[in-house]
Structure formats: C-alpha cells, structure tokens
Amino acid sequence: MLLAFDYGTKKIGLATGNDLIGTASPLLPLPSHNGQPDWDRVAALLDEWRPDTLAVGLPLNMDGTESPSSARARKFARRLHGRFGLPVVMVDERLSTREARERTGQRGPDPKVDSMAAVVIAEGLLNGAEPIPP
C-alpha cells in the first residue's frame, strides 16, 4: 500500500495505491497553507491507510531539469519522512496534471484534478517508474 501526494502550495492531491493489483484511487485533497499541510490530518491519513511507502510527485521541467517547484516538493518529501519515518520516494510527474485533466474532463483548477494527478503518480510507481530519492 502506498499513499501518493501531488504537492502544491495551496492544495495537495492524494491517492492510495495498491501494489498487489497495481491500481490507485483518489482521495480528497488536503488544503495547504503557505506550502504546509495540516500535519495532524496527514497523520490521521497515515493511521487510516497504513501505507508502506509514501510517493511524492517531482515536478520537473520538460527537459528533465529541476525547477523551484521541484525544491519545494523535495522539501515536503523530506518533511514527510522526518515526521513519520516512512520510506518516501519521488516520481517524475511531468504531464501528470495534463493526464489528470483528460481523465476527469476538467480544464481549470479543480480538486478532482489534484487527486487524479496523485493517482497518475501512484500508478507510475506501481507500473515501474524509477523512484527518485528526495
């Protein structure tokens, strides 16, 4: 079982991933204030789902280089590991929002898109995407 995060400074998309059957399901996104989630809500999610691994999307530029958003996502991933002690990996999330919009049929900002992007991140890892250390 994994819990995937599509990190954002205003909201964080969430999805669970089942490594036995290779599928992922969206959860309600978490609000984020100044890039910080409600850590108590994160703890409650971890207690509820009991994941073995946490996956955080790494927003890379199309040429594979890192951006300021990459640094924020890496910091979030390190904080997850530091607070909860679970293994945390990052997954290249290029085009995940685009795919999430296609899957949901939404064009603009929408909570469904954030969590569907987390589904894309989880499915990438479950289907063999190379994990990236935070």
Side-chain angles (χ1 to χ4, degrees):
M1 170 69 72
L2 70 90
L3 193 61
F5 298 83
D6 179 40
Y7 176 78
T9 57
K10 294 182 181 174
K11 30 185 191 266
I12 299 169
L14 293 167
T16 59
N18 185 321
D19 51 353
L20 293 176
I21 57 176
T23 62
S25 301
L27 300 173
L28 291 175
L30 289 173
S32 179
H33 304 285
N34 296 322
Q36 294 296 313
D38 178 342
W39 290 107
D40 291 335
R41 286 183 70 183
V42 174
L45 284 165
L46 297 178
D47 285 342
E48 179 180 353
W49 292 99
R50 304 252 182 233
D52 302 311
T53 303
L54 305 178
V56 177
L58 181 61
L60 298 172
N61 294 318
M62 290 309 292
D63 65 1
T65 60
E66 295 204 13
S67 67
S69 295
S70 303
R72 289 190 291 273
R74 283 186 181 280
K75 186 175 182 178
F76 174 71
R78 288 190 301 271
R79 285 184 175 170
L80 278 172
H81 177 70
R83 284 179 180 264
F84 303 109
L86 290 168
V88 178
V89 297
M90 302 199 78
V91 178
D92 180 350
E93 69 164 46
R94 281 180 282 185
L95 302 178
S96 64
T97 300
R98 182 180 187 179
E99 184 173 339
R101 283 192 178 116
E102 288 174 7
R103 289 186 186 192
T104 62
Q106 302 296 318
R107 294 200 181 269
D110 187 290
K112 293 177 197 163
V113 172
D114 297 311
S115 289
M116 188 57 69
V119 167
V120 173
I121 291 163
E123 288 175 349
L125 188 60
L126 293 170
N127 292 318
E130 191 67 34
I132 303 165

